[in-house]
Amino acid sequence: MSEKTKKFKEDASFSIADELGGLELLQAKYKRQNFSRHSHEGYTIGVIEKGAQRFYRTGGNHVAPKDHIILVNADEVHTGHAATEGGWEYRAMYPLPEQFAAMTEGIGPHPSVPYFPEPVVHDPEVAQQLRLVFSTLENSDNRLLRETLVYGALVKLMARHSKTRSEFEPRTRGQKQVLLVKTFLDDFPQADVSLEELASLAGYSPYYLVRAFQKEFGLPPHAYQIQSRLRYARKLLKSGHSISDAAQEAGFHDQSHFHRHFKRAMGITPKQFTSSAN
């Protein structure tokens, strides 16, 4: 294999820090990877190490070059692909909203979660602190050190780059109606439900529901159902289910269909995920 081929070889390493609430971590080098529109239960916090990534978030396209931090809010639809010919390398973590809420407990009347308005920030100090976190999580088994560094980095990131958003913010009636549909898809991801049935649940026409749902959550109901099924499948894989059983139980037609959607949303294959999660 030539040096040039080695240089451009794609690679991804996924891991889970169980003592940190199951914090998911990714270290990756991509050139051809093209993330489809997808969302995560947790936030995406990534540091670009080499090259640059172009991605969609918050209604627009953004470029994150080396030493910049990528910030995607929980449940926020986003994409990702190379912005340079040589691709990009980055490290990322996916903290859950409840982990952020725990950090602010006792500060105000209600738990709150951050909202990061800027998809890309240039903050060398926090970027270096995040690199230290990633390195420590990879190389140290000292639980106190690991937890302290993660907590410190996320608190500083919130203080510098987020707005506080209460989990108890009031919703309009229309938002509550489409939230009913989202909740159903989250609770029953494997269900073979029709658009007519979802529209009936919300009290809308099918056409209006598709528009209202996409406006609120960034994806139409059928595309969101795929994301919900992927999340359910990941839980099944973590609990020891085989890839084929997880695919079938989560509602995917076949294993290849599951593999394709998983890779385009996660950047790794189900097999890579399973080897790290178990």
Side-chain angles (χ1 to χ4, degrees), residues 78-248:
H78 58 289
T79 63
H81 59 273
T84 59
E85 184 178 346
W88 82 102
E89 296 182 28
Y90 73 120
R91 304 189 73 161
M93 66 171 68
Y94 305 90
L96 296 170
E98 48 263 37
Q99 291 172 317
F100 276 115
M103 294 178 191
T104 62
E105 191 173 355
I107 296 177
H110 298 299
S112 61
V113 294
Y115 175 77
F116 296 104
E118 296 299 325
V120 181
V121 296
H122 183 232
D123 188 329
E125 182 181 349
V126 175
Q128 186 56 37
Q129 192 168 349
L130 287 170
R131 287 194 182 95
L132 178 60
V133 168
F134 290 127
S135 177
T136 301
L137 292 177
E138 182 180 6
N139 299 303
S140 174
D141 292 327
N142 186 318
R143 179 170 177 172
L144 180 59
L145 175 63
R146 288 157 64 94
E147 292 177 340
T148 300
L149 290 179
V150 170
Y151 180 88
L154 293 182
V155 167
K156 181 171 286 189
L157 186 70
M158 282 195 295
R160 291 193 176 187
H161 301 292
S162 79
K163 296 179 179 179
T164 300
R165 183 171 59 182
S166 171
E167 293 183 319
F168 297 89
E169 283 183 345
R171 291 179 175 269
T172 66
R173 181 183 179 278
Q175 288 174 321
K176 290 178 180 178
Q177 295 307 104
V178 293
L179 183 60
L180 285 174
V181 174
K182 178 181 181 294
T183 301
F184 178 87
L185 293 174
D186 285 335
D187 291 345
F188 305 99
Q190 72 278 36
D192 183 17
V193 63
S194 69
L195 179 60
E196 190 75 38
E197 290 168 330
L198 292 177
S200 178
L201 177 64
Y204 291 147
S205 71
Y207 174 74
Y208 188 83
L209 172 63
V210 171
R211 292 184 59 194
F213 194 96
Q214 180 154 355
K215 180 180 179 181
E216 185 69 18
F217 301 114
L219 292 170
H222 74 277
Y224 184 83
Q225 184 186 57
I226 291 175
Q227 300 306 308
S228 185
R229 287 178 172 179
L230 287 172
R231 295 176 187 181
Y232 182 47
R234 285 166 55 201
K235 291 178 181 178
L236 293 173
L237 292 174
K238 283 182 180 180
S239 65
H241 285 69
S242 68
I243 294 174
S244 59
D245 286 347
Q248 185 175 8

Side-chain angles (χ1 to χ4, degrees), residues 12 14 24 26 30 33 35 38 40 90 94 230 234 261-269 273:
F14 177 84
E24 297 182 351
L26 179 69
Y30 294 129
Q33 172 69 22
F35 289 93
H38 66 284
H40 300 286
Y90 73 120
Y94 305 90
L230 287 172
R234 285 166 55 201
H261 282 294
F262 197 100
K263 181 69 162 61
R264 293 192 68 191
M266 293 289 296
I268 56 175
T269 65
F273 180 86

Side-chain angles (χ1 to χ4, degrees), residues 6-25:
K6 289 181 180 179
K7 181 180 179 181
F8 288 147
K9 182 179 179 181
E10 293 198 334
D11 184 44
S13 174
F14 177 84
S15 60
I16 297 175
D18 291 323
E19 83 279 15
L20 293 167
L23 180 65
E24 297 182 351
L25 305 159

